[in-house]
Amino acid sequence: MPLRLVGIEELFSSLSNTERQRIPNGTIGAFISYASHRAYPLMERVADFLEQDSLQIRTISPRIDSGIELANSDDELKKSVKVWYDLGLEEK
């Protein structure tokens, strides 16, 4: 299941008004699965992959184009997560 790491603004644009109200406090972004039409919130430094906490996305994001690659393997996903964590560590 390919996942894409997005910031809070893109998460908001991917959700209906009802789903936006379900975004947990402290959410800074999400991992989005376009295959399952779900977004998994990132709060602080923790990703929440629990099905009951996931958010239903509307459609494929209009910002996706041929210049943006989706993570399509475990290695690519691991690299995306590592970059995300490394950026957070640099900010501290």
Side-chain angles (χ1 to χ4, degrees), residues 63-76:
R63 294 181 59 183
I64 291 182
D65 60 28
S66 60
I68 298 174
E69 294 181 22
L70 297 176
N72 60 8
S73 74
D74 289 340
D75 289 339
E76 289 178 17

PDB file of all heavy atoms in Angstrom, residues 63-76:
ATOM      1  N   ARG A  63      -2.859  18.127  -6.282  1.00  0.00           N
ATOM      2  CA  ARG A  63      -1.458  18.529  -6.332  1.00  0.00           C
ATOM      3  C   ARG A  63      -0.554  17.416  -6.852  1.00  0.00           C
ATOM      4  O   ARG A  63       0.607  17.641  -7.115  1.00  0.00           O
ATOM      5  CB  ARG A  63      -0.993  18.966  -4.950  1.00  0.00           C
ATOM      6  CG  ARG A  63      -1.693  20.231  -4.485  1.00  0.00           C
ATOM      7  CD  ARG A  63      -1.207  20.667  -3.148  1.00  0.00           C
ATOM      8  NE  ARG A  63       0.221  20.922  -3.193  1.00  0.00           N
ATOM      9  CZ  ARG A  63       0.938  21.256  -2.150  1.00  0.00           C
ATOM     10  NH1 ARG A  63       0.385  21.365  -0.965  1.00  0.00           N
ATOM     11  NH2 ARG A  63       2.240  21.461  -2.252  1.00  0.00           N
ATOM     12  N   ILE A  64      -1.085  16.198  -6.985  1.00  0.00           N
ATOM     13  CA  ILE A  64      -0.264  15.108  -7.499  1.00  0.00           C
ATOM     14  C   ILE A  64      -0.132  15.274  -9.003  1.00  0.00           C
ATOM     15  O   ILE A  64      -1.101  15.409  -9.716  1.00  0.00           O
ATOM     16  CB  ILE A  64      -0.873  13.736  -7.177  1.00  0.00           C
ATOM     17  CG1 ILE A  64      -0.796  13.476  -5.683  1.00  0.00           C
ATOM     18  CG2 ILE A  64      -0.150  12.639  -7.937  1.00  0.00           C
ATOM     19  CD1 ILE A  64      -1.328  12.142  -5.294  1.00  0.00           C
ATOM     20  N   ASP A  65       1.089  15.257  -9.479  1.00  0.00           N
ATOM     21  CA  ASP A  65       1.329  15.294 -10.909  1.00  0.00           C
ATOM     22  C   ASP A  65       2.524  14.409 -11.209  1.00  0.00           C
ATOM     23  O   ASP A  65       3.053  13.749 -10.329  1.00  0.00           O
ATOM     24  CB  ASP A  65       1.535  16.730 -11.408  1.00  0.00           C
ATOM     25  CG  ASP A  65       2.710  17.423 -10.745  1.00  0.00           C
ATOM     26  OD1 ASP A  65       3.667  16.729 -10.334  1.00  0.00           O
ATOM     27  OD2 ASP A  65       2.682  18.649 -10.646  1.00  0.00           O
ATOM     28  N   SER A  66       2.971  14.403 -12.427  1.00  0.00           N
ATOM     29  CA  SER A  66       4.054  13.507 -12.806  1.00  0.00           C
ATOM     30  C   SER A  66       5.365  13.869 -12.122  1.00  0.00           C
ATOM     31  O   SER A  66       6.276  13.056 -12.083  1.00  0.00           O
ATOM     32  CB  SER A  66       4.236  13.519 -14.320  1.00  0.00           C
ATOM     33  OG  SER A  66       4.542  14.832 -14.755  1.00  0.00           O
ATOM     34  N   GLY A  67       5.486  15.059 -11.565  1.00  0.00           N
ATOM     35  CA  GLY A  67       6.706  15.461 -10.885  1.00  0.00           C
ATOM     36  C   GLY A  67       6.785  14.977  -9.453  1.00  0.00           C
ATOM     37  O   GLY A  67       7.812  15.103  -8.810  1.00  0.00           O
ATOM     38  N   ILE A  68       5.730  14.428  -8.934  1.00  0.00           N
ATOM     39  CA  ILE A  68       5.703  13.937  -7.554  1.00  0.00           C
ATOM     40  C   ILE A  68       5.620  12.424  -7.594  1.00  0.00           C
ATOM     41  O   ILE A  68       4.753  11.862  -8.236  1.00  0.00           O
ATOM     42  CB  ILE A  68       4.510  14.504  -6.773  1.00  0.00           C
ATOM     43  CG1 ILE A  68       4.612  16.018  -6.688  1.00  0.00           C
ATOM     44  CG2 ILE A  68       4.427  13.898  -5.384  1.00  0.00           C
ATOM     45  CD1 ILE A  68       3.409  16.674  -6.064  1.00  0.00           C
ATOM     46  N   GLU A  69       6.550  11.778  -6.892  1.00  0.00           N
ATOM     47  CA  GLU A  69       6.540  10.328  -6.870  1.00  0.00           C
ATOM     48  C   GLU A  69       5.911   9.832  -5.578  1.00  0.00           C
ATOM     49  O   GLU A  69       6.210  10.335  -4.506  1.00  0.00           O
ATOM     50  CB  GLU A  69       7.970   9.790  -6.971  1.00  0.00           C
ATOM     51  CG  GLU A  69       8.629  10.089  -8.297  1.00  0.00           C
ATOM     52  CD  GLU A  69      10.018   9.514  -8.365  1.00  0.00           C
ATOM     53  OE1 GLU A  69      10.320   8.573  -7.606  1.00  0.00           O
ATOM     54  OE2 GLU A  69      10.808  10.006  -9.175  1.00  0.00           O
ATOM     55  N   LEU A  70       5.065   8.826  -5.697  1.00  0.00           N
ATOM     56  CA  LEU A  70       4.507   8.175  -4.532  1.00  0.00           C
ATOM     57  C   LEU A  70       5.489   7.138  -4.040  1.00  0.00           C
ATOM     58  O   LEU A  70       6.191   6.512  -4.828  1.00  0.00           O
ATOM     59  CB  LEU A  70       3.174   7.492  -4.876  1.00  0.00           C
ATOM     60  CG  LEU A  70       2.055   8.403  -5.328  1.00  0.00           C
ATOM     61  CD1 LEU A  70       0.848   7.566  -5.719  1.00  0.00           C
ATOM     62  CD2 LEU A  70       1.682   9.373  -4.241  1.00  0.00           C
ATOM     63  N   ALA A  71       5.528   6.931  -2.733  1.00  0.00           N
ATOM     64  CA  ALA A  71       6.354   5.856  -2.190  1.00  0.00           C
ATOM     65  C   ALA A  71       5.721   4.542  -2.602  1.00  0.00           C
ATOM     66  O   ALA A  71       4.580   4.275  -2.267  1.00  0.00           O
ATOM     67  CB  ALA A  71       6.428   5.974  -0.668  1.00  0.00           C
ATOM     68  N   ASN A  72       6.456   3.724  -3.375  1.00  0.00           N
ATOM     69  CA  ASN A  72       5.853   2.495  -3.858  1.00  0.00           C
ATOM     70  C   ASN A  72       6.591   1.247  -3.409  1.00  0.00           C
ATOM     71  O   ASN A  72       6.346   0.177  -3.921  1.00  0.00           O
ATOM     72  CB  ASN A  72       5.703   2.519  -5.380  1.00  0.00           C
ATOM     73  CG  ASN A  72       7.027   2.668  -6.086  1.00  0.00           C
ATOM     74  OD1 ASN A  72       8.080   2.618  -5.471  1.00  0.00           O
ATOM     75  ND2 ASN A  72       6.971   2.858  -7.388  1.00  0.00           N
ATOM     76  N   SER A  73       7.507   1.388  -2.482  1.00  0.00           N
ATOM     77  CA  SER A  73       8.159   0.216  -1.933  1.00  0.00           C
ATOM     78  C   SER A  73       8.482   0.475  -0.476  1.00  0.00           C
ATOM     79  O   SER A  73       8.481   1.612  -0.014  1.00  0.00           O
ATOM     80  CB  SER A  73       9.435  -0.110  -2.706  1.00  0.00           C
ATOM     81  OG  SER A  73      10.456   0.821  -2.381  1.00  0.00           O
ATOM     82  N   ASP A  74       8.788  -0.597   0.242  1.00  0.00           N
ATOM     83  CA  ASP A  74       9.145  -0.438   1.646  1.00  0.00           C
ATOM     84  C   ASP A  74      10.368   0.445   1.810  1.00  0.00           C
ATOM     85  O   ASP A  74      10.428   1.269   2.717  1.00  0.00           O
ATOM     86  CB  ASP A  74       9.408  -1.809   2.281  1.00  0.00           C
ATOM     87  CG  ASP A  74       8.139  -2.614   2.468  1.00  0.00           C
ATOM     88  OD1 ASP A  74       7.043  -2.009   2.473  1.00  0.00           O
ATOM     89  OD2 ASP A  74       8.232  -3.845   2.611  1.00  0.00           O
ATOM     90  N   ASP A  75      11.355   0.294   0.917  1.00  0.00           N
ATOM     91  CA  ASP A  75      12.563   1.112   1.016  1.00  0.00           C
ATOM     92  C   ASP A  75      12.258   2.590   0.834  1.00  0.00           C
ATOM     93  O   ASP A  75      12.777   3.429   1.566  1.00  0.00           O
ATOM     94  CB  ASP A  75      13.597   0.675  -0.020  1.00  0.00           C
ATOM     95  CG  ASP A  75      14.207  -0.682   0.315  1.00  0.00           C
ATOM     96  OD1 ASP A  75      14.146  -1.093   1.488  1.00  0.00           O
ATOM     97  OD2 ASP A  75      14.743  -1.323  -0.604  1.00  0.00           O
ATOM     98  N   GLU A  76      11.418   2.922  -0.139  1.00  0.00           N
ATOM     99  CA  GLU A  76      11.075   4.324  -0.365  1.00  0.00           C
ATOM    100  C   GLU A  76      10.297   4.893   0.816  1.00  0.00           C
ATOM    101  O   GLU A  76      10.512   6.033   1.216  1.00  0.00           O
ATOM    102  CB  GLU A  76      10.269   4.469  -1.651  1.00  0.00           C
ATOM    103  CG  GLU A  76      11.099   4.240  -2.901  1.00  0.00           C
ATOM    104  CD  GLU A  76      10.280   4.327  -4.167  1.00  0.00           C
ATOM    105  OE1 GLU A  76       9.167   4.875  -4.135  1.00  0.00           O
ATOM    106  OE2 GLU A  76      10.765   3.849  -5.197  1.00  0.00           O
TER     107      GLU A  76
END
